[in-house]
Amino acid sequence: MIFDTISSDSSPLRSAIDAAWLADESACVKALLQQVTFSGEAQSRIDGLARRLVIAVRENAEAQGTIDAFMQEYDLSSEEGVVLMCLAEALLRIPDDETADRLIQDKLGAADWGRHLWHSSSMFVNASTWGLMLTGRIVGVDDEILRDGHSFLQRLVSKSGEPVVRMAIRQAMRIMGQQFVMGATIDAAIKRSHEADNRDCRYSFDMLGEAALTRSDANDYFNAYQNAITRIAAIVDRQLPLFARPGISVKLSALHPRYEIFQRSQVLAELTPRLLLLAKQARDAGITLTVDAEEADRLSLSLDIFDAVYCAPALDGWNGLGLALQAYQKRALFVIDWLQSLVTDVGRMIPVRLVKGAYWDSEIKRAQERGLEGYPVYTRKISSDVAYLACAQKLLAASDCFYPQFATHNAHTVAAIVELAGDLPFEFQRLHGMGEALYREVTLSKEAGGLGLPCRVYAPVGSYQSLLPYLVRRLLENGANTSFVNRITDRHAAIEEIVSDPIVELDGLDVKPHPHIVLPRKLFGNDRLNSRGINLHSALSLAALEQQLSLFIEDSAVVTQWHAAPIINGVMIDDDDRAQLAINAPANHQCVVGDVVNATEVMVAEALASAAESSAQWSSTAAEKRAATLEKAADLFETHCAELMALSVREAGKGIADALAEVREAVDFCRYYAAMVRKDFSIPQVLPGPTGEHNQISLHGRGVFACISPWNFPLAIFVGQVCAALAAGNSVIAKPAAQTPLIAARAVQLLHEAGVPGAVLHLLIGSGRTIGMQLVNDARINGVAFTGSTETAQTINRALAQRSGAIVPLIAETGGQNCMIVDSSALPEQVVIDVMQSAFNSAGQRCSALRVLFLQEEVADDIIEKLSGAMAELVVGDPLSLATDVGPVIDQAALETLQAHAQWMQTEGKLLYATPLPDGLECGYYFSPHLFEISRLDLLPREVFGPILHVIRFPSDGLNDVIAAINRTHYGLTLGVHSRIEATVRYIQQRVRVGN
């Protein structure tokens, strides 16, 4: 078995969950509409109750929650609403006043606050608007804050205290935060829950915080949960039924720094006992514990852990372990089936919190970027509403198995739940700070005209600094002008629209998926297909991939057939000059034992002659035919995806995810250049001119291109260079890196199979100093495409310059010091996530990998601590394992270069952290990720290609010095910026000289 991340539960019910992950949306919606039906009388009752709720809320608008009124006025359809979201998310975490002032000026200065004045009946909203309007006028002064470091705001500062504006805005953000957070501590939250206005509700307390990045973070969250349970236990009335008592909600990603499916074995071993401890503590405290829902990629792992804890004999007799379920996922109904089977086997009820879901935007974007066959969520809001009712119906139908908890702010959904439930036990839930007006009618006694139904408040607990990521999700989820929270109190919105039946509306649509959210494969419209991805988080997808990969990874008969030799005129030429290629060690599943034939001078001459002779005919080949050939090649690369991935793993040491990305990028290159050749080469462009003249521009190939590619992207860059040259009508001689000829040979074979004539595309294998320079110096080479070191590019450039005749173009992508600039407005957790990915993925062997991290002094210590903690969790090892984060570097020379640099850095810099190398990696070229601090950028004379990251601190007024230092390196392929201040981002973008 190659992968160890596949769930051990391969039961039909778990398989059904997995199969529904990316299921056809039209089929899913059809099934929903067949499942959820109401009689005419029931529909009438639902409509009547929904109208009654909306009317009651509007009549009591003066009692509307302040945040509801505020969000209605400043919804995310307005520029001002977006501004406030950005400001609230960042301001309270900025430690230095100067950056805080820049953020306030950036966000408030350009907005039109006056148009919101006196729109709302809420005095809170109007007072807030007045303050924002005045502040916007103050901070809107044109000011070169980045040049001299002193803003107009700072000139208002009295010598003895903070600027009035900054202090006022910070206080306003705290007030805004109070609407969402129950209390800064669990004691404060409990005290607030006992206040007069809150006594009618039940509570589920959640310790605020996002996913843990370090072991220390996870321990802090675990201790916070334990303390919260202890504090809640002290106020529990054990005379009440279990489900009428307060409870706690737990986020699994907060309890482990690597809560992801690729680390499944580690997570199960370490997190399951932790959750069981919390569950036993909650049981002893007499309260419930609910496992929160997270991103779609984590659902399978969540179910594995829930299964293990729920089935533990230690919890016998306790019905308090619950699970949150997202109805917007296509898998939700199948999860209910699986949960019901658990209850049947174990015999304990499961409380299920049914939510619609809070990560919709992210799920759509991830599926598009990964090129998946579909989406894990429904693309229409009304489809999620109908799915919610289908799930509700299913939960209520199994009332002996579940205690349903319906989390919704939608009046029609509330009315439909009341109709579905009848006399069955259940409760509603809402977010703290939202929906108070609606649920005042729900919880009000029947004698007083309400529904007399229980409602539990999901109550976040934590500091304002912990609030921000949570706040953003809440604002995105409920702040949009289409959300029910906004529309229910908007008297301009017709009641008929607000309480419309989503079942009727969805059934009436001819096209069930959203017409403007195309499938991920159609992301680029009619120009080209998106490359096909593989859902590496799915057990079914992994099982299929494992079966395909095993043929090439484990079958020695197939592996020994791998062979690389020069391919000239479409024929692979065998020779006695064979070299056995063995990269790294067999123990690492990387050893490639195959034949590699290096090109001779005779072979080079033959390839040059053939390519030169065929170039004119290929250039005159119709652009449509060239485009179709490249598209056929893309299809073939996708067909042979597993084989090409296996080659990338075994020859280049790529990890599984990187190997898949390598194939996808090669496919994208083929289709991109096919689209470009259709656009630019098909029809000459006619130019205007004087009467009687006919002027036009047409594009043609230059002749023969030498394409010299690197080992770090042995398929993607190799194919990209070759396809660009072929698309433009050139014949090509491709010379891959000496370390990765097998991948190149297979790619050329597939290009020939797609229809590229053998005389047009040739492959030469050998040293760059011999074969490469022989090509560069030959007069028949009309252009060179090169990716590699700056030194080699300069050597090629000088050689081309010395040739007589026409000037020969050199298209070179070279290395450089890739930097990231982080100011104090950045979110440290997101910085660490991005730095880890950029600096250490692919063992730091990407052209675009992060080499130097500039951190503003005020946040440097915190980010370095988090970064070091995250590095401690990296897994270095066999690239064939999905659990591996960092595989080997390419060869012994690369390893020795990294070791020498690390030794030099011990004297010139300061070692902040080095990830330990695990035992058993004595064979192979493994180098652990290193983090060094240095004083200045010019200590690094050249790029070091591997998992070494350098940190440089800079003061808040030192941005210009950072930019100057980066520009003095002459070239950087990429630059990253982490700042919430748009003016800062634009300032850097306009001044830094980098490629991307």
Side-chain angles (χ1 to χ4, degrees), residues 97 101 153-158 161-169:
D97 294 341
D101 290 345
L153 276 174
Q154 290 171 307
R155 293 196 288 271
L156 293 177
V157 181
S158 64
E162 286 185 286
V164 174
V165 170
R166 186 196 316 132
M167 184 170 60
I169 292 293

Side-chain angles (χ1 to χ4, degrees), residues 16-43:
I17 294 173
D18 215 25
W21 194 325
L22 304 173
D24 178 76
E25 186 169 358
S26 296
C28 291
V29 169
K30 182 180 179 181
L32 290 176
L33 292 171
Q34 291 174 345
Q35 180 171 337
V36 187
T37 58
F38 291 101
S39 67
E41 292 181 357
Q43 285 179 320

Side-chain angles (χ1 to χ4, degrees), residues 138-353:
I138 292 173
V139 303
V141 177
D142 185 21
D143 199 339
E144 282 289 333
I145 59 171
L146 290 170
R147 182 181 61 199
D148 59 22
H150 294 84
S151 69
F152 179 77
L153 276 174
Q154 290 171 307
R155 293 196 288 271
L156 293 177
V157 181
S158 64
K159 293 182 179 179
S160 59
E162 286 185 286
V164 174
V165 170
R166 186 196 316 132
M167 184 170 60
I169 292 293
R170 277 184 165 149
Q171 184 59 28
M173 294 303 102
R174 289 190 179 96
I175 292 171
M176 191 172 181
Q178 287 174 352
Q179 305 301 316
F180 290 91
V181 177
M182 194 71 184
T185 66
I186 186 64
D187 290 329
I190 290 172
K191 180 180 179 181
R192 191 172 178 184
S193 72
H194 289 159
E195 292 175 358
D197 292 344
N198 299 325
R199 290 174 187 166
D200 292 337
C201 292
R202 305 167 179 177
Y203 286 86
S204 180
F205 298 98
D206 171 45
M207 309 311 294
L208 261 184
E210 294 303 285
L213 296 178
T214 69
R215 193 73 48 170
S216 176
D217 289 342
N219 290 337
D220 288 345
Y221 285 129
F222 180 74
N223 293 335
Y225 283 129
Q226 284 198 313
N227 177 63
I229 294 172
T230 299
R231 305 304 298 160
I232 297 168
I235 55 95
V236 167
D237 181 356
R238 291 181 179 262
Q239 300 301 313
L240 293 173
L242 175 63
F243 296 132
R245 303 172 191 171
I248 191 166
S249 297
V250 172
K251 195 179 186 74
L252 294 184
S253 60
L255 294 174
H256 198 282
R258 297 304 305 273
Y259 187 66
E260 54 196 79
I261 193 66
F262 292 170
Q263 305 299 327
R264 180 177 180 274
S265 299
Q266 178 191 6
V267 171
L268 286 178
E270 297 176 359
L271 180 50
T272 304
R274 283 199 146 190
L275 182 60
L276 181 57
L277 277 174
L278 292 177
K280 289 194 288 187
Q281 187 183 356
R283 176 205 59 195
D284 295 342
I287 65 173
T288 58
L289 182 150
T290 300
V291 176
D292 263 334
E294 303 192 51
E295 297 89 341
D297 289 347
R298 289 172 161 158
L299 176 60
S300 178
L301 187 56
S302 296
L303 296 183
D304 287 338
I305 293 173
F306 184 87
D307 185 2
V309 174
Y310 174 78
C311 294
L315 300 181
D316 282 351
W318 178 57
N319 292 324
L321 183 62
L323 184 71
L325 180 65
Q326 296 164 324
Y328 71 1
Q329 284 202 45
K330 298 170 185 174
R331 291 177 285 177
L333 286 166
F334 300 93
V335 172
I336 295 174
D337 291 335
W338 177 79
L339 289 173
Q340 189 170 352
S341 73
L342 275 186
V343 174
T344 302
D345 292 340
V346 176
R348 294 199 310 272
M349 181 176 284
I350 297 176
V352 176
R353 174 193 296 148

Side-chain angles (χ1 to χ4, degrees), residues 334-445:
F334 300 93
V335 172
I336 295 174
D337 291 335
W338 177 79
L339 289 173
Q340 189 170 352
S341 73
L342 275 186
V343 174
T344 302
D345 292 340
V346 176
R348 294 199 310 272
M349 181 176 284
I350 297 176
V352 176
R353 174 193 296 148
L354 186 64
V355 301
K356 287 178 182 175
Y359 300 91
W360 185 89
D361 302 75
S362 298
E363 301 296 359
I364 294 293
K365 291 176 184 295
R366 284 196 189 97
Q368 290 172 342
E369 184 271 330
R370 293 171 180 172
L372 300 181
E373 63 191 74
Y375 295 107
V377 295
Y378 296 100
T379 57
R380 288 189 191 266
K381 175 69 166 61
I382 54 171
S383 298
S384 296
D385 291 341
V386 174
Y388 190 93
L389 295 179
C391 290
Q393 185 181 58
K394 202 174 190 71
L395 290 170
L396 290 164
S399 58
D400 56 330
C401 297
F402 304 116
Y403 177 69
Q405 301 167 310
F406 298 115
T408 178
H409 298 143
N410 186 302
H412 183 276
T413 304
V414 167
I417 295 296
V418 171
E419 178 68 27
L420 285 170
D423 296 328
L424 294 172
F426 74 95
E427 68 181 37
F428 284 113
Q429 293 194 358
R430 66 170 177 86
L431 291 167
H432 169 68
M434 293 187 184
E436 290 104 325
L438 173 63
Y439 277 99
R440 190 175 293 110
E441 306 302 322
V442 171
T443 58
L444 193 66
S445 68

